[in-house]
Amino acid sequence: MAQVTEYVVVVGATGAFGTVMVERFLARGLGVIAVARSAATLEALAAKHPGLIACAADIAHDASIAAIRAALPGPVRMVVHGPGVSVGGGVLNISTAALVDAVNIKVGGLLRLVRAVDGHLRPNSRLVAIGGHYGFEPTAYAAAAGVANAALVNVVRQLSLAYGERGITAHLVAPGPADTERLHRVAADRARLQNTTVDVVLAGMLDESSIHAFTEPGQVAWALEILLAPEASAMTGSTLMLDAGRRRGLP
């Protein structure tokens, strides 16, 4: 096996999106530092991928900075910040604490991740946040995702400006709803509010897409592989929309 010379740090590595990302990066010969809160789920992931470096850390707390930094064995080619946040409810019933927690995990977590790896970044390194469709197309039923992901748009742009002098770029990837366990929790919450069934809510979500599809984890991993190319530096500060034709607004 070829010697690993560059690494990718994936926060949220044990989730539906993260596990696919890990597989893709390892297949490209990159080292992967997998970050998640649960040591048990990380152990299960590492058992499937012996070359994986597992790092149990809660990105919602500053202690994660030292934990991630200590796990880094070499230059960082890319960081991917993709933790999930609790559903929380809609704008009329979400607790303010849940909303603050979501912003802390998404925005505060991204800043903690970047600060942890800063000394290992090189020209052409990539800082990537996984945002979401609801950050651009607000809905009354997904307050946490909408507010936290909208904030990520601004923070990614700020990072692109701050790191540009070093030749390091920042990017936001914004998937549409994906057919995951989390989506079904969102649908169940919306169904209760609308006094309908989960199947009806899911069908309505599919109809929001011009191709009547949910985004797949493999499609998000594909976008991250694109960002590894040197030519991707032209996209710094911008958003890759992977919403399956849900976005209505301009630009």
Side-chain angles (χ1 to χ4, degrees):
M1 186 171 65
Q3 183 178 3
V4 172
T5 58
E6 293 183 309
Y7 294 84
V8 178
V9 183
V10 180
V11 174
T14 58
F17 285 91
T19 53
V20 178
M21 295 173 194
V22 167
E23 291 174 0
R24 293 285 189 94
F25 290 134
L26 289 171
R28 292 180 68 97
L30 291 161
V32 174
I33 295 92
V35 182
R37 287 177 295 181
S38 169
T41 55
L42 279 171
E43 288 175 10
L45 185 64
K48 294 173 60 178
H49 304 290
L52 189 74
I53 298 172
C55 176
D58 188 344
I59 202 67
H61 299 285
D62 286 350
S64 62
I65 298 173
I68 295 170
R69 186 179 292 151
L72 297 173
V76 171
R77 181 70 177 83
M78 175 184 282
V79 299
V80 182
H81 182 61
V85 297
S86 62
V87 175
V91 69
L92 297 182
N93 62 357
I94 190 172
S95 71
T96 54
L99 197 61
V100 170
D101 285 346
V103 175
N104 177 42
I105 291 169
K106 286 280 191 174
V107 177
L110 176 60
L111 295 181
R112 294 181 186 104
L113 173 60
V114 172
R115 290 168 188 178
V117 304
D118 183 87
H120 292 264
L121 297 173
R122 302 290 185 268
N124 220 31
S125 291
R126 306 281 187 247
L127 312 175
V128 184
I130 307 298
H133 167 68
Y134 292 131
F136 294 87
E137 293 285 343
T139 170
Y141 306 107
V147 172
N149 288 326
L152 270 181
V153 179
N154 190 287
V155 172
V156 166
R157 182 63 60 86
Q158 291 189 47
L159 288 171
S160 75
L161 297 171
Y163 277 95
E165 290 293 327
R166 292 169 57 183
I168 297 163
T169 62
H171 309 266
L172 182 68
V173 175
D179 193 5
T180 62
E181 180 182 340
R182 184 181 184 283
L183 179 71
H184 284 260
R185 294 199 302 270
V186 172
D189 190 56
R190 189 181 297 188
R192 284 191 295 271
L193 291 172
Q194 296 178 336
N195 194 28
T196 185
T197 67
V198 172
D199 287 342
V200 168
V201 172
L202 290 173
M205 288 182 173
L206 281 173
D207 286 341
E208 293 171 356
S209 161
S210 63
I211 58 173
H212 302 284
F214 292 121
T215 303
E216 299 175 6
Q219 293 170 324
V220 177
W222 163 81
L224 297 177
E225 290 186 281
I226 286 177
L227 291 176
L228 287 169
E231 294 85 352
S233 61
M235 294 190 288
T236 189
S238 63
T239 300
L240 278 171
M241 299 295 298
L242 303 178
D243 61 345
R246 284 177 167 80
R247 180 138 169 80
R248 300 292 188 265
L250 297 174

